[in-house]
Each structure stands twice: as C-alpha cells, then as structure tokens.
Amino acid sequence: MKLKMLIVEDEEALLDLLKFNFNKEGYKIDTATDGETALEKILYKPPDIIILDWMLPKLSGIELCRRIRKNKEHKNIPIIMLTAKGEEEDKIKGLESGVDDYITKPFSFNELSARIKAVLRRSDPNIVANDLIFEDLKLDRIEKRVFRADKEIQLGPTEFRLLEFFLTNPKRVYSRDQILET
C-alpha cells in the first residue's frame, strides 16, 4: 500500500522536486499551493502525512496546522513543517502549533526522508513495519506473503493490497470508492 502524502508548498520548483523524489520512494502524492486548498483536500481525503510550508497564500501553514489539530478526525495526521523560517522563536512557534517535526530550508532530501519515516514510526508503527500481524495472521510486506497460523495463504496482488490496507486501517468502515482509491 502506498502511503498518501500531501505536500503543501507554493514554490513550484521545490514542489516539483519533492513530488518527483517522493514518487520515486513509493509515496502517493497530492499537492496544494495554498492553505485553503490544502485544508479542503485534508477534510475530503486525509493523507497519511503532510509536508507543510509556513508561508502560504490564503491560509498560513501555522494556521492550517492549528485547524487540523482542532479537528477530531484529522488531529493525529503527522505534519512536518518545511520552511525558510529558521529562527529559534519560529521553530518554537511551529512546534507549539502542533507540527511533529520542523526542518529549515535549505535542507537535505535524505534527512527529510529519514525524518518522515521516524515521524511515521512514532505515529503508527504499522505504517512502516515490514510485518503486519493480527491475531494469527501475518502479512510480510517485503516478500509479499501471508501466513495464518504459520501456514502460507496464496493471495493475488490485488487481494494482498486489500489485506494490507485493512490491516493498516483497522476498525473503520470504507466505501467502495475509498477502497478503490487506495
């Protein structure tokens, strides 16, 4: 299952660079170039993680983060602020607004990628775990194999992705359209 990432950045060149690199890493990317559009996308189809610039048109990244954190359904979405504001007081304000990590521009893509994985591990270990386990069912993401009580179950690629989706998103009801979009 591809993790859904929303990149909120108004600088087109940087947005394209991030989109290209995270696509290569296997993320499903959505983008927004202003805060209001980002909020609409988050409310309609929440991502697994948000990369957020501070200085955005229409609604600042700080205000967007505050609104996300006030929303019961979306308050736990991991948010990494990627911004040119590098003063200590800016970092403190960003972290106090609810971001999970704060990275200043210019930045290393490898460091950003590592920080994203660390934040995802803390927010939900199943998102980045190699093995997903539920009772006596084990799904191995690396080898694309499924076991029940140590006996292998043969699944096709679509069945495997569906099982992986349900194991990483338990206790929720999904419409057919939501499942098809994964």
Side-chain angles (χ1 to χ4, degrees), residues 99-114:
V99 300
D100 296 287
D101 205 345
Y102 192 103
I103 301 173
T104 56
K105 299 172 188 175
F107 63 96
S108 154
F109 180 79
N110 291 334
E111 179 184 359
L112 175 59
S113 181

Side-chain angles (χ1 to χ4, degrees), residues 33-180:
T33 56
D34 66 77
E36 286 181 1
T37 303
L39 185 59
E40 289 172 12
K41 288 184 176 200
I42 292 162
L43 296 175
Y44 174 69
K45 191 161 102 180
D48 295 308
I49 188 161
I50 301 168
I51 307 301
L52 179 63
D53 187 15
W54 183 320
M55 297 175 283
L56 295 168
K58 298 183 183 177
L59 184 66
S60 76
I62 291 291
E63 183 57 29
L64 176 59
C65 184
R66 286 186 182 126
R67 290 186 186 186
I68 294 167
R69 294 300 183 228
K70 286 180 184 175
N71 184 301
K72 283 192 270 186
E73 290 179 38
H74 305 104
K75 69 180 181 180
N76 293 323
I77 298 172
I79 301 172
I80 295 180
M81 184 155 283
L82 181 63
T83 182
K85 290 183 157 275
E87 299 294 320
E88 180 182 14
E89 60 201 42
D90 295 326
K91 292 177 185 179
I92 291 168
K93 187 175 180 181
L95 291 166
E96 287 178 346
S97 74
V99 300
D100 296 287
D101 205 345
Y102 192 103
I103 301 173
T104 56
K105 299 172 188 175
F107 63 96
S108 154
F109 180 79
N110 291 334
E111 179 184 359
L112 175 59
S113 181
R115 286 177 180 254
I116 287 170
K117 290 173 185 163
V119 167
L120 288 170
R121 267 194 312 273
R122 286 192 304 270
S123 68
D124 184 356
N126 283 335
I127 287 179
V128 292
N130 291 335
D131 294 333
L132 298 175
I133 299 171
F134 178 77
E135 295 181 4
D136 65 342
L137 188 68
K138 177 184 170 190
L139 182 139
D140 183 332
R141 287 177 158 165
I142 303 294
E143 295 186 20
K144 306 288 188 211
R145 296 168 67 188
V146 176
F147 299 89
R148 180 149 204 164
D150 296 325
K151 182 180 177 189
E152 186 169 1
I153 300 170
Q154 299 296 319
L155 296 179
T158 302
E159 295 164 320
F160 183 88
R161 284 193 312 273
L162 277 170
L163 181 59
E164 181 181 24
F165 174 76
F166 289 127
L167 288 174
T168 54
N169 298 281
K171 300 179 183 177
R172 289 186 59 193
V173 177
Y174 295 94
S175 69
R176 181 181 186 273
D177 291 336
Q178 288 174 313
I179 293 170
L180 290 173

